[in-house]
Amino acid sequence: MRRVTIFGATGSIGQNTLDLIGRDRDAYQVVALTGDQNIAQLAGDAIAFGAEIAITADPARLDDLRAALDGSGVEAAAGPAALIEAANRPADWVMSSIVGAAGLAPGLRALEQGASLALANKESMVCAGPLMLSTAKAYGASILPVDSEHSAVFQALIGEDISAVERVIITASGGAFRDWPLEDLANATPEQAATHPNWDMGQRITIDSASMFNKALELIETKEFFQINPAKIEAVVHPESMIHALVGFRDGALMAHVGPPDMRHAIGFALHYPERKFLPVERLDLVKLGQLTFRPADETRWPALRLAREVMATGGLAGACFNAAKERALDGFIAKRIGFQQIAVVVEEVLSRVSAHPGHIDAAITLDNVMQLDHLARVRADEIMNELEG
Ligand code: NAD
Ligand code: MG
């Protein structure tokens, strides 16, 4: 039996992962499941899957979790330290699907245990790509991409020489507002932004899709994961979300990964890698599909894409700063403190203020430095949002 742990088990990726594991229960021993506020889901899944331990990220919910697990034999724990402790428990395969920079530390610890880390948490690569790769190398662990675009690139690169890659194109659906007139974006609400045309995902990544901050994070993730020159990485809007990414080689060949938008493909690929096993995803009928369309990813409409280029050019801890500023600005947008288009304004201003002081962005990429800069960027984002409100 393979020992598996899921960080962020109650979320969209976590639930899809449990769906796959649940179809072949005898093959897996579930070690730890983690969640946050949804205690009923966490406890219910931990009991149903016979997990050793269930952990909520929120210490204030420990009593609720204990009560929900009472008599089941599943251990209960809470808080960030308990998440790290869970990552210490030996597991063969660990899903990293917490949302946000909070996913970084548990994923790193799982790598230090030599696990295969299925990485949905793109923030880990954006905030600390070099640290993730060097930790995996030092401990003989592996990182498998779960973001659909990066899984697609990974699959297109199997058997290929990375030096023959001329370009990588990742696709974007364009999110909720891709067909809105530009002048209407100022009044877009969080409710409107949280509906996705194609993918069924968590609230935060869905809003990030509308603002293209999700694609911005993914451009950076592509650079970090595959160690590719940013000049070779492009994004293109593809409203049908059937092609997830394309890799172009120096002989002009372009390899595309095509499939319906269902995260169980990328999760299942990472779960079974290096084997390819049956997955319960829809098979495409190309004739029924008829056509696929593409549009430019306009940096005026989506300034996040321009900011991602700047972050890639700067390097160092710019990604950690960018991500934290985005997370805080997104909180501000969800709380209706700032408007939709101000998310990018806040992020750009945080980058500019933090970069103005030497010793922040150019500090060594260690977990401590990432978390310190993450904190600083959030403080700056709050300051800027206060200024915008006042
Ligand atoms: P989600 O909001 O549905 O779930 C997030 C999970 O993280 C939940 O289990 C929640 O309890 C947990 N969590 C939230 N805050 C936490 C904290 N501070 N500490 C610890 N745990 C916390 O999100 P999702 O859509 O499943 O996305 C998860 C990750 O996967 C994100 O990094 C996202 O960008 C990435 N991703 C998601 C999809 C998708 O289809 N949903 C696709 C590609 C990549
Ligand atoms: Mg993606």
Side-chain angles (χ1 to χ4, degrees), residues 327-343:
E327 287 195 35
R328 204 64 198 123
L330 176 58
D331 293 338
F333 174 62
I334 292 171
K336 306 199 175 178
R337 285 181 69 189
I338 59 168
F340 181 69
Q341 286 171 309
Q342 287 176 314
I343 301 173

Side-chain angles (χ1 to χ4, degrees), residues 39 43 56 58-70 76-79:
I39 300 296
T56 165
D58 183 359
R61 303 301 304 273
L62 181 58
D63 288 342
D64 296 342
L65 182 60
R66 281 210 178 105
L69 291 171
D70 191 34

Side-chain angles (χ1 to χ4, degrees), residues 272-284:
H272 301 310
Y273 182 81
E275 286 178 67
R276 269 195 198 273
K277 291 197 180 165
F278 171 85
L279 290 174
V281 298
E282 184 197 334
R283 271 52 179 169
L284 272 191

Side-chain angles (χ1 to χ4, degrees), residues 123 126-127 208 211-221 303-312 315-330 343-344 346-348 350-352 354-355 361 373-374 377-378 381:
E123 296 88 346
V126 172
C127 296
D208 285 348
S211 64
M212 280 288 183
F213 269 98
N214 181 48
K215 214 48 55 181
L217 294 174
E218 290 180 358
L219 288 170
I220 304 168
E221 183 187 10
L305 299 173
R306 172 177 55 81
L307 296 177
R309 297 259 165 232
E310 291 173 15
V311 166
M312 290 191 286
L317 292 176
C321 182
F322 176 75
N323 177 68
K326 188 281 293 175
E327 287 195 35
R328 204 64 198 123
L330 176 58
I343 301 173
V346 170
V347 172
E348 184 159 21
V350 171
L351 280 169
S352 143
V354 173
S355 309
I361 299 274
L373 190 62
D374 178 282
R378 286 169 203 258

Side-chain angles (χ1 to χ4, degrees), residues 92-114:
D92 303 299
W93 188 85
V94 175
M95 168 54 80
S96 170
S97 59
I98 287 173
V99 63
L104 174 61
L108 275 173
R109 184 56 66 89
L111 289 175
E112 289 170 0
Q113 304 306 316

Side-chain angles (χ1 to χ4, degrees), residues 122 147-149 214-215 218:
K122 63 194 78 187
D147 218 344
S148 55
E149 298 76 6
N214 181 48
K215 214 48 55 181
E218 290 180 358

Side-chain angles (χ1 to χ4, degrees), residues 93 116-120 142-147 154 225 269-271 273:
W93 188 85
S116 289
L117 187 71
L119 191 69
S142 52
I143 310 175
L144 298 160
V146 173
D147 218 344
F154 187 90
F225 204 109
F269 179 82
L271 181 62
Y273 182 81

